[in-house]
Amino acid sequence: MIRIYNTLTQQKEEFQPIEPGKVRMYVCGMTVYDYCHLGHARVLVSFDVITRYLRHCGYDVHYVRNITDIDDKILRRADENGEVFTDLTDRMIEAMHEDEARLGVLSPTEEPRATAYIDEIIAMIHKLVASGHAYSADNGDVYFAVDSFDEYGKLSKKKLEDLVAGARIDVREAKRSPADFALWKAASEGEVSWSSPWGEGRPGWHIECSAMSTCCLGDTFDIHGGGPDLLFPHHENEIAQSECATGQEFARTWMHAGAIRVNKEKMSKSLGNFFTIREILESYPAEVVRYFLVSSHYRSQVDYSEENLAEAGRSLTKLYLALRGVMPSKAGVVPETEHDRRFMEVMNDDFNTAGAISVLHAVANDINQQRREGREDEAKHSAAVLVRLGSILGLLQQDPEAFLQADTGGELSAEDIEGLIQARADARKNRDFAEADRIRDELADKGIILDDSREGTTWRRA
């Protein structure tokens, strides 16, 4: 039985989907005005692993991850660039897909864009206005009346009176209470807008997700997820407007990935420690970055540093070295092992990927021991287990040689390295051990590690 930490109840609960055998999950996606950063990667990879594991357990997962393609930030950036906002969003969506593909993130079942759901958004706002949960202000905006929902704050555990106390209303706004939030924003002349019963305008941010999630998954669905910064006010506001519009519970289980810190400080553009996914992938292989993110529990904070990335690379290399030269057994289905059972046990405990990584290394240790003792068939079976369990985390699906010898922009090509290895072999054959050692040292200085065995010499990049 899978147990998931539910942010709503602040405890782990046995997961029981609304419809047996099927999981409906919605995760808040990107606002596409810039390239995705490391915090986005954390969310993308975390919920990719969760989806993979649920499917491994036999669930039919309908995974929806939205795209916010209309927003103040988008319009400002497009104006700065001197381009149509749709050109900006199309370009950033394409870049996002490139980044997630490199990180091994599977595509969601559906990826709705806010601009494609304007009619549904307007219909939901209309329902809220008609039921007294929202009101049209004098400036053409439409606001949700937070005090009309008695359970406001149940996700974040914030009290409405604390939110209102001392808060100020922006002079440009016409809402009744500081806690109220915009469902529809009136457009100034020349701004991007759509027609509505309240005049020309565009949707507020929070209402987009309520409309898209309920349209794609129904009034009540199993899991709602996102980054830690979305818990309040975004997810709190989603609950309020959705449950007032439908009269139903919005989502059963709320999941939030942990924050990214850089050298023990919060990642922030203002601090100058803000990294995009593609910047990081210029320096590190994509699978190493994924391993780094997966090796921590999805709810924990992750500290990004050069040292931690390097350690992730070393740890992943150990797993690929265990697989090197071992052809995983394909003769029938490899029977379930104690490692399989332990892997399931830790993953059933709120998707504990840190524990799952430990299981992978235990399997790798078995392979190494079995090979040392000449038990090749057992090593092949263990290799099959390692590849199978790794796939659930989106790891270890490359050919070991491809990973270990991947060109990372070093001085030497594969052909150069092979030539030097042959020159070293010739020197050793001629008993010129000084020259052989010199070649080994030269390769080591350039990040090439040689491994000698009875079968010959193999190499890998450090």
Side-chain angles (χ1 to χ4, degrees), residues 280 284-296 302-320 357 361 395-396 403-404 462:
I280 295 168
Y284 296 94
E287 191 171 356
V288 170
V289 177
R290 184 181 177 100
Y291 182 96
F292 164 71
L293 294 171
V294 168
S295 58
S296 297
V302 172
D303 192 42
Y304 173 84
S305 68
E306 299 289 326
E307 180 182 345
N308 289 344
L309 260 294
E311 177 57 34
R314 289 190 291 269
S315 295
L316 181 58
T317 295
K318 289 179 182 178
L319 297 179
Y320 270 112
I357 289 289
H361 281 281
L395 300 171
L396 303 177
F403 174 83
L404 295 168

Side-chain angles (χ1 to χ4, degrees), residues 103-117:
L103 288 172
V105 174
L106 303 176
S107 298
T109 314
E110 290 188 76
E111 196 173 50
R113 300 189 187 190
T115 54
Y117 282 78

Side-chain angles (χ1 to χ4, degrees), residues 150-270:
D150 293 338
E151 295 184 275
Y152 191 83
K154 65 180 178 179
L155 179 67
S156 62
K157 313 308 175 193
K158 295 181 183 292
K159 295 181 179 180
L160 181 57
E161 54 268 29
D162 294 336
L163 296 172
V164 173
R168 295 187 303 166
I169 298 179
D170 191 297
V171 294
R172 295 167 296 179
E173 297 177 322
K175 53 188 178 181
R176 299 171 185 167
S177 166
D180 295 349
F181 55 89
L183 301 174
W184 188 260
K185 297 182 178 183
S188 301
E189 186 174 351
E191 284 188 335
V192 175
S193 65
W194 288 264
S195 298
S196 81
W198 315 283
E200 291 290 315
R202 56 185 176 79
W205 175 37
H206 310 301
I207 195 68
E208 295 174 3
C209 282
S210 288
M212 286 186 280
S213 61
T214 53
C215 285
C216 294
L217 298 173
D219 292 346
T220 305
F221 49 92
D222 298 296
I223 297 173
H224 195 313
D229 55 323
L230 299 182
L231 196 156
F232 185 86
H234 184 56
H235 288 164
E236 193 72 70
N237 292 350
E238 276 191 74
I239 290 175
Q241 63 200 10
S242 300
E243 296 192 359
C244 287
T246 68
Q248 304 294 322
E249 179 184 18
F250 182 40
R252 292 280 180 87
T253 301
W254 286 83
M255 302 178 68
H256 292 89
I260 294 284
R261 292 163 60 87
V262 178
N263 295 320
K264 303 190 185 307
E265 290 187 302
K266 181 181 178 182
M267 187 176 71
S268 167
K269 286 185 177 179
S270 63

Side-chain angles (χ1 to χ4, degrees), residues 1-2 13-19 22 59 222 252-253:
M1 178 64 69
I2 298 174
E13 300 172 343
E14 289 189 0
F15 178 61
Q16 295 283 0
I18 298 166
E19 187 177 353
K22 296 187 177 182
Y59 288 106
D222 298 296
R252 292 280 180 87
T253 301

Side-chain angles (χ1 to χ4, degrees), residues 407-445:
D407 189 349
T408 54
E411 295 179 43
L412 300 177
S413 67
E415 292 75 15
D416 294 333
I417 296 166
E418 295 288 355
L420 286 168
I421 290 174
Q422 183 59 54
R424 176 174 176 263
D426 292 342
R428 294 174 73 185
K429 185 176 180 180
N430 295 328
R431 305 188 67 79
D432 188 352
F433 298 114
E435 174 64 6
D437 289 345
R438 187 199 65 77
I439 293 172
R440 174 186 276 277
D441 292 342
E442 177 188 346
L443 288 168
D445 288 343

Side-chain angles (χ1 to χ4, degrees), residues 337-409:
T337 67
E338 183 58 37
H339 292 307
D340 286 281
R341 289 185 284 273
R342 177 59 182 157
F343 185 93
M344 295 286 287
E345 179 183 336
V346 296
M347 287 296 286
N348 283 345
D349 183 15
D350 195 31
F351 309 103
N352 181 3
T353 54
I357 289 289
S358 296
V359 174
L360 298 188
H361 281 281
V363 181
N365 290 339
D366 280 359
I367 296 170
N368 294 332
Q369 179 70 24
Q370 289 157 354
R371 295 185 73 186
R372 282 194 297 270
E373 297 175 358
R375 295 181 283 148
E376 294 298 327
D377 287 344
E378 291 180 41
K380 291 179 181 180
H381 279 70
S382 294
V385 172
L386 182 55
V387 171
R388 180 173 69 218
L389 297 182
S391 71
I392 300 170
L393 303 181
L395 300 171
L396 303 177
Q397 303 308 292
Q398 296 187 61
D399 178 86
E401 296 302 320
F403 174 83
L404 295 168
Q405 298 181 357
D407 189 349
T408 54

